[in-house]
Amino acid sequence: MSKVYLITGAARGLGVDLAKAAIAAGHDVVATARQPEKVTRALGSDDRILPIRLDVTKPEDASRAVDAAIERLGRIDVVINNAGNFYGGFFEELSPEQVRAQIETNLFGSMNVARAVLPVMRRQRSGLVISISSLAGLVGGAFTSAYAASKFGLEGWMESLTPEIEPFGIRTMIVEPGYFRTELLEPASTTFAELSIDDYAQRTAEIIPAWKAMNGQQPGDPAKLARALIDLAESGNPPLRWVAGADAVLAAEQKAQTLLSQIQAQRALSTSLRHDGV
């Protein structure tokens, strides 16, 4: 049965592939972007596509986009929080403004969209909220502290949101892609630290060219990711978390093993802390 998908960041990168996959599966797509004319350039004109302006950092944009979608299509069945960006740099070299901007887009942007769409889904007593996280939402690493903070926060919010909205027939899914050949590392989506500290200078000079060289060479195919995601969304039993990509699976397994070993190493101490009066 045809559904209505609302996809953020649908003018470029993975958002375009997600919109194409949803349309190919027979669904209508509310394709949002800060510049909706770019959606039309990327996806063409199609009766199944409704381009709408949406800057996810602006709650009023999210509300207007949802209202326009309901006025035109009557419902929203699936929302995919895909819009995001990347601020790369060592924590001390990222300005407070850059860190806040990172979290504003990747975390609060998804919250803004969900806050606008959840009343619609509650009235319907159905829906699926999907948030595109990252392997960096599970495994932190040098030079990604702000990005990882935004994605770790996204995952904590989504995990907590799940039992809140489940009684209304609304499901959730967190997607944790590894390295896919999206446009995240393009200059339009990537910003490097604006501060410079001598102690970090040599590593910064080595890492930035490496990140730039990785652009367009990532092992994952975003079109395959998009098609698989739509298939999971339509499966009737979407997973609460989907680790996407062979590199992500390996890293997630290593993180799980590390957590278990850390728990076991301090098990005796950790379990000895009960209050004597209990």
Side-chain angles (χ1 to χ4, degrees), residues 89-94 143 192-210:
F90 295 107
F91 171 69
E92 286 189 276
E93 293 191 321
L94 290 162
F143 213 72
F192 292 109
E194 62 185 13
L195 306 178
S196 179
I197 298 173
D198 287 345
D199 281 343
Y200 296 108
Q202 182 176 344
R203 283 192 288 167
T204 297
E206 295 169 352
I207 291 174
I208 289 180

Side-chain angles (χ1 to χ4, degrees), residues 32-277:
T32 75
R34 286 178 296 178
Q35 296 174 288
E37 63 274 11
K38 290 186 176 181
V39 171
T40 302
R41 286 204 293 269
L43 296 172
S45 297
D46 189 307
D47 290 341
R48 287 190 173 275
I49 302 172
L50 176 61
I52 294 181
R53 183 186 186 282
L54 171 55
D55 179 340
V56 297
T57 66
K58 298 179 178 179
E60 61 274 17
D61 271 19
S63 296
R64 281 195 290 264
V66 168
D67 289 345
I70 295 302
E71 181 178 356
R72 170 79 173 270
L73 299 169
R75 61 186 295 115
I76 297 173
D77 299 291
V78 182
V79 61
I80 303 181
N81 288 309
N82 165 72
N85 54 22
F86 172 58
Y87 282 78
F90 295 107
F91 171 69
E92 286 189 276
E93 293 191 321
L94 290 162
S95 70
E97 293 75 19
Q98 287 183 310
V99 174
R100 288 180 183 277
Q102 179 74 99
I103 294 174
E104 192 69 47
T105 297
N106 290 358
L107 175 56
F108 289 125
S110 296
M111 288 182 168
N112 289 337
V113 173
R115 195 180 298 278
V117 80
L118 283 175
V120 173
M121 291 183 170
R122 281 192 289 104
R123 288 195 297 270
Q124 296 170 176
R125 286 301 194 260
S126 67
L128 174 61
V129 179
I130 301 173
S131 287
I132 306 297
S133 179
S134 166
L135 178 59
L138 185 65
V139 181
F143 213 72
T144 65
S145 55
Y147 184 71
S150 71
K151 294 300 188 179
F152 269 69
L154 178 72
E155 298 210 8
W157 164 63
M158 284 287 289
E159 281 194 8
S160 302
L161 179 67
T162 299
E164 294 180 356
I165 61 179
E166 188 176 22
F168 310 117
I170 307 171
R171 306 288 297 275
T172 66
M173 187 196 314
I174 299 169
V175 182
E176 294 171 335
Y179 289 101
F180 279 79
R181 207 167 294 185
T182 66
E183 297 182 21
L184 181 64
L185 295 181
E186 293 284 342
S189 296
T190 290
T191 304
F192 292 109
E194 62 185 13
L195 306 178
S196 179
I197 298 173
D198 287 345
D199 281 343
Y200 296 108
Q202 182 176 344
R203 283 192 288 167
T204 297
E206 295 169 352
I207 291 174
I208 289 180
W211 278 104
K212 290 181 178 180
M214 191 190 309
N215 184 34
Q217 302 301 316
Q218 301 96 321
D221 184 337
K224 290 182 178 179
L225 171 63
R227 290 193 295 269
L229 177 54
I230 299 303
D231 286 345
L232 286 174
E234 297 302 314
S235 67
N237 188 30
L240 295 176
R241 173 177 272 102
W242 179 38
V243 180
D247 56 336
V249 169
L250 178 61
E253 289 175 338
Q254 291 174 340
K255 176 63 177 280
Q257 292 167 1
T258 298
L259 286 173
L260 289 172
S261 65
Q262 290 171 339
I263 292 168
Q264 188 60 32
Q266 303 300 330
R267 178 178 291 275
L269 175 61
S270 299
T271 57
S272 69
L273 305 177
R274 186 174 180 176
H275 197 287
D276 291 338

